[in-house]
Amino acid sequence: MTSRQIGHKAKHDYRKANSIYDLFLSLPLKKAAALQKKMLSHCKKKAFVYEDKNGKPCLIPLMLRPRILTRAQRDKIWSICQTMNRAYEKAARLYLEDPEVRKIFPFEEREKEWVMDTLRAVKGQPNPIFSRWDANTSFEQSGGENGVKGRLRSASLPPARGTGALCASATPSGPRKVPYGDSIEPRAGTAPAPPGKPERMARACRTEAPPAPCSGWPGAPSAVDNFLFFENNGVGIGGVWYCPTSEEIMLDTFIPELKKIDPSLRLEKNHDARVLLMKFLRRHATALGRKNPLVALTIDRYCYENFMEFPMLKRFFEKRGLRTIVADPREFELRSTDVTYQGKKIDLIYRDTTIQEFLEYERKGANLKALHQAFRNNQVISSMGGEFDHKSLFEFFTNPVFAKYFTAREKMLFTKHVLWTRVIREVNTTGPDGKSVDLIPYIRKHKNSLVLKPNRLFGGEGVLIGKDTTLSAWDKGIQEGLAKPADMVIQSYGTVQVKRFPVLKKSPRPSEDEYYVVSGFISTPDGLGILGRVSKRKVVNVARQGGISALLVRK
């Protein structure tokens, strides 16, 4: 009996393959279709939905089989992300102190006033940033998540046409601010686990090696493994509600049926991102000396997109004793130095909105003095430090000019896991191989190994892939970057991971299709939440006809 045949004797070595892909393919088509219908029902009950720009609720596409990882892999990634968080927090402080740091983080004049005023007001205080590190991830061991080694494809290419076929809904909708990505691969070794969860890191099999990330630090190795972050999101990160909900839906629908086929299947939820956020808020309230805090989840209530997540988080928090309201940023009021909303004193503000967006409200006549004071009171999460999630953050990490600000461990992780990145400008710097280069001539000569990106846009907008771009278009992009300081960055060309997922067609059993996959790591001192995203397009974005895949942990 093969691994694709149904029956109680079928066994699947999850320790080797770290995948239940073949197990899923053993489901008869009729059973798989019934489970898909059950999943749709659960998605509706659990508000796995998103409002489009017209306010219409849409089901978010959810893939029919989960991806899995081991506890040890999860804890290894958690440890790395915690180190990255500490490095990220340094950007705001050093922006005040070092003119060279200010050169690579562009802000509009009024925006810069908010940033500088707030940073001076809270200097020396806690800098709470609730962020998500995005990466293209494979959790392969020997057989791979697909039952075979995952393939790497070029990232950052123009969106391909076509939609994903196998999901709870084919509606192309999802949370905004979900950008696109390159490649990441868990590295073998050991790492400390989250508090109370000591684990030993499992060996992780590697796929084809992607382009080298930063090799600019003295003594950096010439070759590195495939663990490359491509972006950080520090404000209004999407998926806090959706990633644990997707895990719950999968554990309530498909997993019990798969366990009937193979009783050795033992999977569990990952760390709950909703709980991580709730604990993060409570911890900062305690640091401010505020007992029984009232938290305002702040979002533009007149813009429907992404609004659904906050009401669901409000309900979740209140059931667990955290007083919560959903508030529009234009409706806060100031009483002395206290921030209020509809007469209630606010202790913390969790924001979905950037300073750029706040200033747009100001230009349209909104009074944001109360919100500005909340930043000065250090009541906002993410703090002003979250505004430094520019793509040039990776130049801050990978340029030896800033090496003095980082620990040995931080620099080691940058070398292994961060793509070489530079703001486009006339400068002599180090190239990806660590050798000195004149930046503009270098990026013209080596365009086929580079990617040109807007520094602050999301979703792959405005990206030029050197090898797929004409020389004239490439030069035009460079000139646009030179015309507006720090507006564009150049980055090493990366790769995107491809995984197979089951597809229901008119055949006796589920068939398969390939999807690009990206993971978003939400890391706090309490654990690691993971948002899995898939797409038929190389720009992996739920809003670009993509979907969500649950990530479950193998016991």
Side-chain angles (χ1 to χ4, degrees):
M1 182 172 291
T2 70
S3 63
R4 298 191 182 211
Q5 290 178 306
I6 209 164
H8 69 280
K9 292 184 179 180
K11 296 293 180 181
H12 304 264
D13 194 340
Y14 310 111
R15 291 170 300 175
K16 291 182 179 180
N18 208 27
S19 172
I20 60 171
Y21 181 77
D22 284 342
L23 183 59
F24 188 98
L25 290 183
S26 67
L27 284 170
L29 183 63
K30 186 175 181 180
K31 170 61 72 174
L35 290 173
Q36 182 187 37
K37 185 176 180 179
K38 185 177 181 180
M39 176 185 283
L40 280 167
S41 176
H42 277 60
C43 286
K44 293 174 183 177
K45 290 178 181 178
K46 289 181 174 288
F48 202 72
V49 294
Y50 174 74
E51 283 189 341
D52 65 18
K53 61 183 180 181
N54 298 314
K56 179 183 177 182
C58 303
L59 284 176
I60 293 180
L62 179 60
M63 305 307 289
L64 295 189
R65 68 103 170 167
R67 299 173 63 206
I68 65 175
L69 70 162
T70 67
R71 290 176 177 175
Q73 286 175 319
R74 186 264 316 278
D75 294 344
K76 173 67 174 179
I77 295 170
W78 171 85
S79 175
I80 291 171
C81 287
Q82 282 298 95
T83 301
M84 296 293 289
N85 283 349
R86 290 188 289 271
Y88 176 26
E89 291 168 4
K90 296 178 182 181
R93 173 176 60 83
L94 292 168
Y95 184 82
L96 282 177
E97 301 173 3
D98 188 339
E100 291 301 313
V101 174
R102 289 197 287 275
K103 289 179 181 179
I104 65 171
F105 290 104
F107 292 105
E108 300 169 7
E109 194 58 37
R110 177 61 176 152
E111 187 184 12
K112 186 175 180 180
E113 290 175 12
W114 271 56
V115 171
M116 296 293 283
D117 178 67
T118 300
L119 293 180
R120 291 185 181 113
V122 301
K123 189 174 182 179
Q125 297 181 35
N127 180 21
I129 305 175
F130 189 79
S131 69
R132 189 187 73 219
W133 295 94
D134 287 346
N136 184 303
T137 319
S138 173
F139 304 109
E140 295 180 354
Q141 296 198 75
S142 62
E145 287 185 75
N146 297 333
V148 296
K149 279 191 176 184
R151 291 189 291 142
L152 295 175
R153 291 185 178 177
S154 59
S156 313
L157 296 177
R161 295 188 179 275
T163 61
L166 188 67
C167 48
S169 166
T171 307
S173 58
R176 65 186 173 91
K177 295 183 182 177
V178 184
Y180 99 168
D182 300 300
S183 175
I184 174 177
E185 189 75 20
R187 177 176 172 80
T190 59
K197 292 183 179 292
E199 297 284 355
R200 199 163 60 88
M201 177 60 190
R203 182 181 180 275
C205 180
R206 299 174 180 136
T207 59
E208 303 170 44
C214 170
S215 299
W217 302 105
S222 59
V224 294
D225 59 43
N226 301 348
F227 195 114
L228 301 177
F229 296 111
F230 63 85
E231 191 161 285
N232 174 275
N233 293 263
V235 178
I237 65 174
V240 174
W241 170 263
Y242 299 113
C243 59
T245 304
S246 70
E247 295 163 17
E248 293 171 350
I249 293 171
M250 189 58 60
L251 288 168
D252 288 342
T253 56
F254 278 92
I255 301 307
E257 293 299 322
L258 296 179
K259 193 171 177 63
K260 290 178 183 178
I261 300 173
D262 190 343
S264 69
L265 178 65
R266 298 178 65 218
L267 300 175
E268 64 184 2
K269 278 184 64 177
N270 188 37
H271 299 151
D272 193 316
R274 300 166 298 190
V275 174
L276 297 181
L277 176 56
M278 184 175 65
K279 289 183 176 181
F280 196 90
L281 293 167
R282 288 188 183 277
R283 182 178 290 108
H284 190 57
T286 299
L288 296 180
R290 295 173 182 261
K291 299 180 180 180
N292 191 26
L294 177 60
V295 176
L297 305 178
T298 303
I299 191 169
D300 183 352
R301 298 185 67 168
Y302 304 100
C303 177
Y304 289 109
E305 293 178 279
N306 207 31
F307 181 70
M308 295 295 291
E309 193 166 21
F310 274 30
M312 300 311 300
L313 287 173
K314 174 184 182 296
R315 184 182 304 178
F316 184 89
F317 292 163
E318 288 189 326
K319 283 184 178 179
R320 289 153 183 81
L322 180 61
R323 296 190 302 138
T324 312
I325 62 171
V326 178
D328 187 274
R330 289 160 286 212
E331 296 175 6
F332 289 113
E333 295 180 346
L334 193 60
R335 296 183 181 177
S336 185
T337 59
D338 290 333
V339 178
T340 66
Y341 186 82
Q342 297 180 352
K344 298 178 181 178
K345 182 180 176 181
I346 301 300
D347 295 291
L348 289 180
I349 293 173
Y350 176 73
R351 62 176 173 133
D352 178 72
T353 312
T354 66
I355 300 300
Q356 275 187 324
E357 292 169 310
F358 288 145
L359 295 180
E360 184 61 29
Y361 303 158
E362 271 196 339
R363 283 190 283 269
K364 293 180 180 180
N367 184 342
L368 299 183
K369 289 183 178 179
L371 185 65
H372 195 169
Q373 186 61 44
F375 275 101
R376 292 175 55 84
N377 294 346
N378 203 10
Q379 293 176 259
V380 182
I381 294 176
S382 288
S383 67
M384 194 60 74
E387 295 292 327
F388 291 82
D389 61 352
H390 306 175
K391 294 180 182 70
S392 55
L393 176 68
F394 281 14
E395 172 166 356
F396 182 53
F397 292 160
T398 64
N399 192 330
V401 169
F402 307 117
K404 59 187 176 183
Y405 296 127
F406 299 105
T407 66
R409 172 172 169 77
E410 288 167 343
K411 288 185 282 190
M412 177 191 71
L413 293 182
F414 300 159
T415 298
K416 293 179 179 178
H417 306 305
V418 176
L419 288 166
W420 175 87
T421 305
R422 294 292 183 270
V423 169
I424 291 183
R425 61 197 188 279
E426 296 281 1
V427 68
N428 188 274
T429 184
T430 53
D433 60 0
K435 296 180 181 178
S436 179
V437 299
D438 191 356
L439 185 61
I440 301 306
Y442 176 83
I443 62 181
R444 282 197 172 109
K445 182 178 179 180
H446 296 87
K447 80 177 187 71
N448 287 353
S449 62
L450 300 170
V451 182
L452 200 156
K453 302 179 179 181
N455 196 359
R456 303 183 67 182
L457 296 182
F458 295 88
E461 184 179 346
V463 172
L464 293 178
I465 308 303
K467 69 173 187 176
D468 300 315
T469 304
T470 64
L471 183 59
S472 60
W474 186 254
D475 281 340
K476 181 180 178 181
I478 294 172
Q479 291 305 316
E480 289 175 354
L482 289 171
K484 191 172 181 181
D487 192 55
M488 302 288 289
V489 301
I490 196 75
Q491 192 173 79
S492 291
Y493 178 78
T495 51
V496 64
Q497 189 79 36
V498 177
K499 297 295 178 184
R500 292 185 295 159
F501 286 87
V503 178
L504 295 183
K505 295 180 179 179
K506 293 182 179 180
S507 59
R509 300 192 185 282
S511 56
E512 62 191 36
D513 202 354
E514 291 184 336
Y515 290 79
Y516 300 96
V517 295
V518 166
S519 298
F521 299 116
I522 302 170
S523 178
T524 77
D526 300 296
L528 184 78
I530 307 177
L531 174 66
R533 289 172 289 142
V534 305
S535 179
K536 292 296 292 183
R537 299 177 177 219
K538 296 178 180 71
V539 176
V540 183
N541 190 309
V542 177
R544 288 176 175 258
Q545 299 182 328
I548 289 178
S549 65
L551 278 114
L552 299 177
V553 178
R554 178 165 62 82
K555 297 182 182 180

